[in-house]
Amino acid sequence: MGGPRFEPVRTVRAYERVVEQVEEAIESGALSPGERLPSERELMVQFSVSRSTVREALRVLQARGLVRSRPGDPNGAEVLPFSPAALHKSMTTLARVAELSLAELVQFRMVLDSSAVLLAARLRTDAELAEMAAAVSAMRDAVEAGRDAFGEADVVFHDVVARASGNKLIQICTDVVRSIVLKLISEKLADADDREALMRQSIRHHEEVLAAVRAGDGPLAAQLSRKAMYDYYAGYVPADERSALRALLD
């Protein structure tokens, strides 16, 4: 029989409808940062729902970083300005809930890091370049000090590169993806027999990328960044999924 195919109807709880309407008002600009929502009692009247429904909706909105709600506040919940921390939390949750594979996460990190370093090579300041060089120097010093010190210096390098890109979204996404990837392979890194060799290889890669950034050669810096990520992470990705990473290599 022809005709459209319908999907099962999903039961939507009342508080979800409240959340949707408030989110739409914030996204459209009808509610601006600093403004207040009506009081709980007024929300109950406007939405024709119970107090418990209103409070559940406010809890969800607060968890998403959209409002600040204080129980019993007669002024109502306050609409919050955009927060990178809220986006960071949402992206972290999305990556975990969507059950992304390590290959997908590493591939995304290769895209992000190479884009950041491409921009950084063209937009970085002398001060940011000096910070990158100091981070690489700290990585060298940390080889004898242990993995934690080395990892901290590595994070500093990539944070400076992301900041030098001038794009806040790249900074947030890079931080989220890096932290998730490192958590997934932390035990394997800690147990690696050739840990020192891996650290020294990583230092060489960072030195090459730094040289390209210093020279202002964005395409080369991006290419080197993708290759460095592949060399470092490919061994932790299942062999049948590595083609997703190789697709980014020139």
Side-chain angles (χ1 to χ4, degrees):
M1 181 177 177
R5 290 183 60 83
F6 297 104
E7 296 180 357
V9 175
R10 182 175 68 90
T11 301
V12 179
R13 297 174 181 175
Y15 81 85
E16 293 178 313
R17 288 303 190 195
V18 175
V19 169
E20 287 176 1
Q21 289 194 48
V22 175
E23 283 183 329
E24 288 172 2
I26 293 174
E27 291 169 1
S28 69
L31 281 173
S32 302
E35 288 191 278
R36 297 271 186 169
L37 296 181
S39 66
E40 287 185 0
R41 182 177 296 278
E42 180 60 25
L43 289 175
M44 290 167 58
V45 173
Q46 290 189 28
F47 288 112
S48 296
V49 295
S50 66
R51 184 179 296 275
S52 61
T53 296
V54 167
R55 288 184 172 176
E56 181 63 22
L58 291 175
R59 278 194 291 270
V60 172
L61 290 165
Q62 181 160 286
R64 295 180 183 179
L66 296 175
V67 305
R68 177 166 47 233
S69 176
R70 298 183 181 89
D73 187 345
N75 296 318
E78 180 185 0
V79 178
L80 297 176
F82 167 77
S83 168
L87 180 56
H88 188 293
K89 183 176 181 180
S90 297
M91 284 195 60
T92 301
T93 301
L94 174 63
R96 289 173 178 163
V97 171
E99 297 182 345
L100 301 176
S101 68
L102 179 59
E104 289 172 311
L105 290 165
V106 171
Q107 185 187 51
F108 189 39
R109 187 175 178 195
M110 289 171 70
V111 171
L112 285 173
D113 278 57
S114 61
S115 297
V117 79
L118 172 68
L119 291 169
R122 298 172 178 175
L123 302 175
R124 55 81 180 169
T125 64
D126 289 341
E128 288 165 339
L129 185 62
E131 288 183 71
M132 294 177 210
V136 175
S137 178
M139 291 171 69
R140 295 192 203 98
D141 295 339
V143 170
E144 300 299 330
R147 180 173 58 86
D148 291 339
F150 182 89
E152 290 170 6
D154 178 53
V155 167
V156 169
F157 178 88
H158 291 284
D159 282 349
V160 176
V161 168
R163 175 162 33 95
S165 75
N167 188 304
K168 290 183 180 179
L169 192 55
I170 286 180
Q171 294 178 52
I172 295 167
C173 293
T174 296
D175 186 36
V176 171
V177 175
R178 177 182 62 220
S179 63
I180 295 173
V181 169
L182 290 178
K183 284 180 181 179
L184 289 175
I185 66 173
S186 59
E187 291 185 5
K188 295 179 180 179
L189 284 173
D191 296 336
D193 295 331
D194 57 347
R195 194 169 61 196
E196 183 173 331
L198 287 173
M199 287 191 288
R200 295 194 183 281
Q201 180 189 50
S202 180
I203 290 171
R204 288 193 297 273
H205 284 318
H206 282 74
E207 289 172 338
E208 292 172 349
V209 170
L210 177 59
V213 171
R214 181 179 284 114
D217 191 337
L220 176 60
Q223 179 185 3
L224 290 169
S225 175
R226 290 192 295 270
K227 180 64 165 57
M229 289 288 169
Y230 180 85
D231 289 347
Y232 193 78
Y233 289 117
Y236 302 104
V237 173
D240 60 341
E241 297 180 17
R242 291 175 196 166
S243 59
L245 309 185
R246 288 194 294 270
L248 291 172
L249 301 179
D250 294 332

